[in-house]
């Protein structure tokens, strides 16, 4: 659906440009946008590779299991339906850590693995479990402490003070996380 919407916008833009006779503007936009997109990807890849590699090392070394044990008291309150030794908890911890550092793209594989393990433990395979819903709420609400990717983008575009968004990001993520988890808690209580 989104692809169709974007395709519609692009076609309307091209038609409007042709009608107004502004073909040079269209050519310049296509060329500069392509270059800017490639430049942005090339500048963000090292950050994502670094953090993805560190997370993979942490996973292979067993460090994620140790970290999940540290966060076990908090995670057991958020995910009461998961077993204490569930592999999903390690992936949830990794996902939260990557999101906290503002590395949404690096967090995605851990989120997918967490959902995969929660689905294995899910009794009703056709419906999302409470743990899956809570994880989705937590993941969507953002838990971002240091928005690394946004800071990198602001640096790329020559922002005078790229890290000035850290405090607003922390405040926004705290508010959204509290609101999302509160609604999820009340949903769970209502359903029981």
């Amino acid at each position: 659906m989104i692809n169709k919407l974007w395709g519609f916008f692009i076609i309307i833009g091209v038609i409007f440009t042709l009608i107004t006779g502004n073909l040079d503007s269209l050519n310049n936009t296509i060329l500069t946008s392509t270059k800017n997109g490639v430049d942005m990807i090339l500048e963000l890849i090292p950050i994502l590779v670094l953090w993805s590699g560190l997370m993979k090392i942490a996973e292979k070394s067993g460090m994620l299991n140790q970290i999940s044990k540290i966060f076990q008291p908090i995670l057991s309150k958020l995910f009461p339906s998961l077993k204490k030794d569930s592999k999903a908890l390690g992936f949830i911890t990794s996902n939260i850590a990557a999101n906290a550092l503002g590395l949404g793209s690096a967090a995605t594989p851990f989120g997918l693995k967490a959902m995969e393990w929660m689905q294995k433990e899910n009794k009703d395979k056709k419906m999302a479990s409470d743990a899956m819903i809570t994880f989705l709420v937590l993941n969507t609400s953002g838990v971002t402490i240091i928005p690394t990717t946004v800071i990198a983008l602001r640096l790329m575009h020559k922002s005078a003070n790229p890290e000035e968004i850290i405090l607003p990001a922390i405040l926004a993520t705290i508010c959204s996380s509290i609101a999302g988890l509160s609604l999820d808690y009340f949903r769970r209580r209502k359903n029981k």
Side-chain angles (χ1 to χ4, degrees):
M1 178 65 182
I2 298 244
N3 290 341
K4 291 177 185 176
L5 187 64
W6 279 112
F8 174 75
F9 286 146
I10 291 169
I11 290 169
I12 293 297
V14 169
I15 290 170
F16 181 77
T17 304
L18 292 173
I19 290 171
T20 58
N22 215 355
L23 201 54
D24 289 340
S25 172
L26 177 65
N27 289 334
N28 288 337
T29 301
I30 290 172
L31 293 174
T32 57
S33 296
T34 305
K35 181 191 177 307
N36 290 343
V38 170
D39 288 345
M40 183 178 76
I41 289 169
L42 291 176
E43 289 191 31
L44 289 177
I45 284 177
I47 294 168
L48 295 174
V49 168
L50 171 70
W51 287 106
S52 295
L54 288 174
M55 290 302 223
K56 197 66 171 170
I57 291 169
E59 178 189 350
K60 294 281 186 191
S61 69
M63 189 173 163
L64 290 183
N65 290 335
Q66 297 300 323
I67 292 171
S68 68
K69 286 178 186 173
I70 293 169
F71 288 104
Q72 181 64 37
I74 297 168
L75 293 177
S76 65
K77 299 271 190 251
L78 289 175
F79 303 97
S81 62
L82 290 180
K83 299 172 187 163
K84 291 189 187 291
D85 62 341
S86 172
K87 284 198 171 215
L89 290 174
F91 290 115
I92 289 170
T93 304
S94 303
N95 179 272
I96 291 171
N99 276 326
L101 295 171
L103 303 166
S105 298
T108 302
F110 296 114
L112 293 173
K113 281 287 197 186
M115 283 293 197
E116 181 182 316
W117 279 98
M118 285 187 276
Q119 180 63 10
K120 287 179 183 177
E121 297 175 16
N122 190 2
K123 292 178 179 97
D124 184 0
K125 303 294 184 193
K126 293 184 180 182
M127 290 188 65
S129 67
D130 283 343
M132 293 168 93
I133 294 169
T134 301
F135 178 64
L136 187 62
V137 166
L138 187 62
N139 205 9
T140 305
S141 67
V143 199
T144 302
I145 297 170
I146 303 170
T148 311
T149 304
V150 177
I151 291 172
L153 286 170
R154 288 172 57 95
L155 274 169
M156 242 173 40
H157 294 288
K158 312 288 188 259
S159 173
N161 193 1
E163 61 280 339
E164 72 185 354
I165 63 164
I166 292 176
L167 182 59
I170 291 171
L171 293 174
T173 193
I174 288 171
C175 291
S176 65
S177 296
I178 289 172
L181 290 173
S182 297
L183 288 172
D184 179 59
Y185 174 75
F186 291 123
R187 178 200 59 83
R188 269 190 276 157
R189 285 194 64 190
K190 183 181 174 187
N191 289 344
K192 285 191 178 180

